[in-house]
Amino acid sequence: MKLGIIGFPACGKTSLFNAVTGGLQPVGQYSGSPGSTLGVMKVPDPRMFKMREMYKPKSFVLAAVDCVDFTGLISGTGGSGGKEVKGEILGKLREVDGIVHVVRAYESSEVPHVLESVDPMRDLGETDSELLFADLAQCTSRVEKLRVQATKPTKTQEQDKKELATLEKVLKLLEDGKAVSTYTPASDDEKRHIAAFQFLSSKKQAVVFNVAEGDLGPGGKAEELTKKVPGSIALCAKIEMEIAQLPEAERAEFLQSLGIAEPASARLARQAYGALDAIPFFTVGEDECRAWTIHRGDNAQAAAGKIHTDLAKGFVRAEVFAYDELIAAGDEKALKAAGKFRLEGKEYIVKDGDIVHIRANTR
Ligand SMILES: Nc1nc2c(ncn2[C@@H]2O[C@H](COP(=O)(O)OP(=O)(O)OP(=O)(O)O)[C@@H](O)[C@H]2O)c(=O)[nH]1
Ligand SMILES: [Mg+2]
């Protein structure tokens, strides 16, 4: 699973990328080389920290997803590197499963804005329009091709007609300026036709307003903007990056001095993870506590396969209990005594926060 970070040039994408991946990429006006940088975002899950206290494991591994930092995108010029770069960025962006959309809301005389003024709602709309235009172009060219192809008595004629019918609906939507994500496919066929295009406007987005440090408090820009865009997050990317770059001991102290339990980028990581329709399940013990990532709806055998392909192949059963049950019981022993320990087969749908132990025949 992969996330892509997009937004206008100098809106703070690389600062935020460094914050969520622990990266040390250079930041600064147009510093990002055209293209993209890959990193790994850790998902700080409070349940994992609680279990670390409980099991005191030798090894502790948070859930992680790939994260790509893209070059800035703006309408017309294509951001830092012209039109070709824009085509390249949009092409690569099709491959991601979810988008972190960073919007500049900080003022700074040292960092010029490409449109010469700071206007978060304008930038948010502009970037979304870029995604729509790219989808519109892609959809139009396919529809034009299919309109011709579907008239010919070929082997694929019936399928072509069906695909055309689906894409004409999508095209109408895009022409009206609506995102593909607003369309509910009427059948599995429609779903498949649409999925094949990896439309940019069909991807879930986590919107992040990058505000100045002084605007984070109540009544500030952060509050105003997050109210305007439900589900969005406001943070100061510069501070988030600085926090991430502190040694762990100093970080805790610094957060305490600010009176907060965790940096805002931790919340963002969880939200972006959720936007991927990803859920974690856990394996626990004194050797290792680890969070693994599956798609919502995956079964126990698929989950076993995340740990090791042999565990999926030789799957016998899964021993399962829920994190909440563990906490309610106090520890694993009490949980077993209370009969909360379940045995599940390969078709069992794994839930967010399940603690799983796979029994498999691996010989
Ligand atoms: N004052 C202030 N400056 C910031 C903030 N966030 C980012 N900057 C500055 O803005 C400049 C660009 O930051 P980056 O994180 O490199 O932005 P970007 O979106 O990756 O930029 P490109 O990759 O060039 O499009 C840097 O000089 C940052 O220090 C902020 O919250 N406040
Ligand atoms: Mg950058």
Side-chain angles (χ1 to χ4, degrees):
M1 275 181 238
K2 209 192 259 178
L3 279 174
I5 305 182
I6 62 163
F8 264 58
C11 65
K13 297 176 296 298
T14 303
S15 306
L16 195 63
F17 173 81
N18 285 342
V20 294
T21 62
L24 295 168
Q25 294 298 320
V27 298
Q29 205 191 346
Y30 306 121
S31 64
S33 51
S36 53
T37 314
L38 180 66
V40 176
M41 180 184 84
K42 299 261 165 47
V43 188
D45 187 326
R47 296 173 293 186
M48 283 294 289
F49 297 113
K50 190 90 187 165
M51 288 190 287
R52 177 162 67 177
E53 280 169 30
M54 225 169 183
Y55 288 91
K56 305 204 168 28
K58 291 188 200 104
S59 150
F60 178 73
V61 186
L62 293 169
V65 286
D66 287 343
C67 184
V68 189
D69 177 23
F70 286 95
T71 306
L73 254 186
I74 57 161
S75 47
T77 72
S80 322
K83 278 216 164 70
E84 275 152 38
V85 174
K86 181 156 95 178
E88 196 184 312
I89 296 171
L90 293 174
K92 277 196 185 161
L93 193 58
R94 293 201 188 284
E95 292 162 19
V96 309
D97 305 287
I99 289 173
V100 174
H101 186 162
V102 184
V103 185
R104 175 171 175 175
Y106 72 90
E107 300 272 356
S108 165
S109 51
E110 285 151 40
V111 185
H113 190 292
V114 274
L115 299 183
E116 285 163 12
S117 64
V118 174
D119 182 345
M121 295 312 286
R122 173 201 62 200
D123 293 359
L124 180 65
E126 288 263 336
T127 305
D128 277 338
S129 301
E130 270 313 309
L131 305 184
L132 278 183
F133 284 140
D135 285 350
L136 182 62
Q138 202 192 11
C139 194
T140 305
S141 86
R142 181 68 185 158
V143 163
E144 281 169 359
K145 211 167 149 197
L146 281 170
R147 276 181 187 151
V148 177
Q149 212 168 293
T151 60
K152 295 178 186 158
T154 60
K155 267 192 211 157
T156 59
Q157 191 179 25
E158 280 316 300
Q159 282 162 23
D160 291 344
K161 278 186 185 164
K162 280 188 191 161
E163 188 188 343
L164 179 60
T166 308
L167 290 183
E168 276 182 330
K169 289 187 201 168
V170 174
L171 186 61
K172 172 84 180 56
L173 198 86
L174 288 164
E175 281 169 349
D176 289 345
K178 292 195 189 112
V180 177
S181 60
T182 61
Y183 183 69
T184 314
S187 66
D188 282 348
D189 267 355
E190 282 202 7
K191 212 176 189 171
R192 199 166 37 78
H193 295 147
I194 294 172
F197 282 87
Q198 301 179 299
F199 286 119
L200 299 174
S201 69
S202 71
K203 298 182 194 297
K204 283 204 193 158
Q205 279 194 18
V207 173
V208 183
F209 291 106
N210 180 15
V211 302
E213 192 182 0
D215 286 329
L216 285 168
K221 234 182 191 176
E223 197 178 293
E224 178 202 324
L225 289 166
T226 47
K227 262 191 196 146
K228 269 191 198 155
V229 181
S232 63
I233 284 183
L235 48 71
C236 175
K238 203 172 168 189
I239 302 288
E240 293 297 321
M241 182 177 92
E242 283 166 13
I243 295 174
Q245 287 172 352
L246 287 174
E248 208 171 329
E250 278 177 46
R251 194 183 310 155
E253 224 170 85
F254 182 72
L255 290 173
Q256 217 169 20
S257 76
L258 294 176
I260 52 176
E262 58 172 11
S265 56
R267 200 156 43 90
L268 166 67
R270 288 196 293 275
Q271 187 160 328
Y273 187 74
L276 294 174
D277 253 345
I279 60 166
F281 74 91
F282 309 127
T283 51
V284 299
E286 279 157 19
D287 276 338
E288 184 177 76
C289 283
R290 183 164 183 161
W292 304 83
T293 300
I294 52 172
H295 282 108
R296 190 178 290 284
D298 279 353
N299 67 20
Q301 191 170 29
K306 287 285 162 186
I307 304 174
H308 202 289
T309 43
D310 286 350
L311 290 183
K313 273 192 215 140
F315 186 97
V316 177
R317 61 175 188 264
E319 299 169 357
V320 183
F321 52 92
Y323 168 83
D324 289 341
E325 290 167 350
L326 173 69
I327 297 304
D331 62 27
E332 226 180 283
K333 214 168 139 199
L335 177 117
K336 283 180 185 163
K340 297 283 186 190
F341 200 80
R342 288 173 279 135
L343 296 180
E344 303 282 2
K346 46 173 90 158
E347 296 305 333
Y348 168 73
I349 303 299
V350 177
K351 312 274 181 320
D352 185 345
D354 271 354
I355 296 167
V356 176
H357 185 79
I358 305 292
R359 293 277 174 214
N361 201 337
T362 49
R363 267 174 302 153

